[in-house]
Amino acid sequence: MDVPELLESASLLVPEDAATENDITVGDIWDYLVHDEWEIALGLLEELGDVPSLPLEFWEKLAEAAEQLRLERSAAWCHWRCYEIRNGMIRADLTLRPAAEARRTTPVSGAGVLRPMWDIGHIAPTGGRAVSIASLWVENMPCLEPGGRATVRLVPFTPSHWTHVRPGRQITMHEDRTVAGTAVVLEVHRPSTAMPAG
């Protein structure tokens, strides 16, 4: 499929009554598609993706369209949303330790590149703390500086390790044995159970 077909097909998966915070609807997106404003239509569809719970196919089509348009950050975001549907997602308020107190002295990439370890309360067979890995996406920021604070989205590598995590729980981020940051869980979204066969 080419970009217009992908965007049209994705827009058909959005409920007609869905709207963004700025009251943009699918009807508005069709106006952009008719005028070949594909990049704008893609961005608006990404915004509409936060309104209802849309299927994996929606985000796959947007990811392919973004790749064809060579919009790297947009493609990464759409692929990230696919991972969230498959593996679940935890939103949290993360505060990194300052550079003077931690090993990290450089900013954390905001685009899902970092895959830190998280202490979410599991105990290892030896009696010490066990950690679980989850990728990290920083919302609305290209990166997070040491000592900085932001809302982040975590996608667990092993979703079954995270079933006990609930909003309000404090978890710690590790890149080595030391604590790199502390987060308070805001939301928990479980993996989609209606995954298509294939």
Side-chain angles (χ1 to χ4, degrees):
M1 284 188 186
D2 62 16
V3 171
E5 292 173 324
L6 288 164
L7 296 176
E8 288 170 11
S9 181
S11 69
L12 293 173
L13 297 170
V14 179
E16 285 184 33
D17 60 346
T20 67
E21 289 180 5
N22 298 324
D23 292 325
I24 301 291
T25 65
V26 176
D28 298 312
I29 292 168
W30 277 94
D31 289 339
Y32 287 109
L33 291 173
V34 166
H35 294 98
D36 295 335
E37 298 283 350
W38 303 334
E39 194 171 329
I40 294 171
L42 174 65
L44 292 173
L45 282 167
E46 288 176 20
E47 285 184 46
L48 274 174
D50 285 336
V51 178
S53 177
L54 293 172
L56 179 63
E57 181 184 5
F58 172 83
W59 290 106
E60 289 173 335
K61 290 179 185 305
L62 292 190
E64 188 175 339
E67 287 172 354
Q68 288 186 31
L69 290 169
R70 293 181 175 23
L71 301 171
E72 291 179 22
R73 175 114 180 150
S74 187
W77 172 243
C78 295
H79 283 298
W80 179 270
R81 294 301 299 264
C82 291
Y83 301 143
E84 287 184 358
I85 292 168
R86 291 184 187 109
N87 293 352
M89 182 270 293
I90 293 91
R91 284 184 79 231
D93 181 12
L94 172 66
T95 303
L96 293 181
R97 292 182 63 194
E101 298 175 15
R103 182 175 177 198
R104 173 172 285 281
T105 57
T106 59
V108 169
S109 169
V113 176
L114 189 65
R115 294 169 174 83
M117 299 169 286
W118 296 88
D119 180 349
I120 55 175
H122 288 295
I123 304 298
T126 58
R129 290 281 179 191
V131 291
S132 296
I133 297 172
S135 296
L136 181 146
W137 186 285
V138 181
E139 289 188 356
N140 305 314
M141 297 170 68
C143 62
L144 182 59
E145 299 285 338
R149 180 178 173 186
T151 301
V152 297
R153 300 168 82 98
L154 310 177
V155 172
F157 274 23
T158 310
S160 60
H161 290 185
W162 295 72
T163 56
H164 68 289
V165 175
R166 301 279 183 270
R169 183 181 190 111
Q170 183 171 305
I171 59 177
T172 54
M173 179 180 128
H174 298 262
E175 293 184 82
D176 56 21
R177 292 183 179 272
T178 63
V179 173
T182 305
V184 176
V185 175
L186 303 172
E187 296 175 35
V188 177
H189 299 271
R190 302 294 173 210
S192 172
T193 54
M195 293 297 294

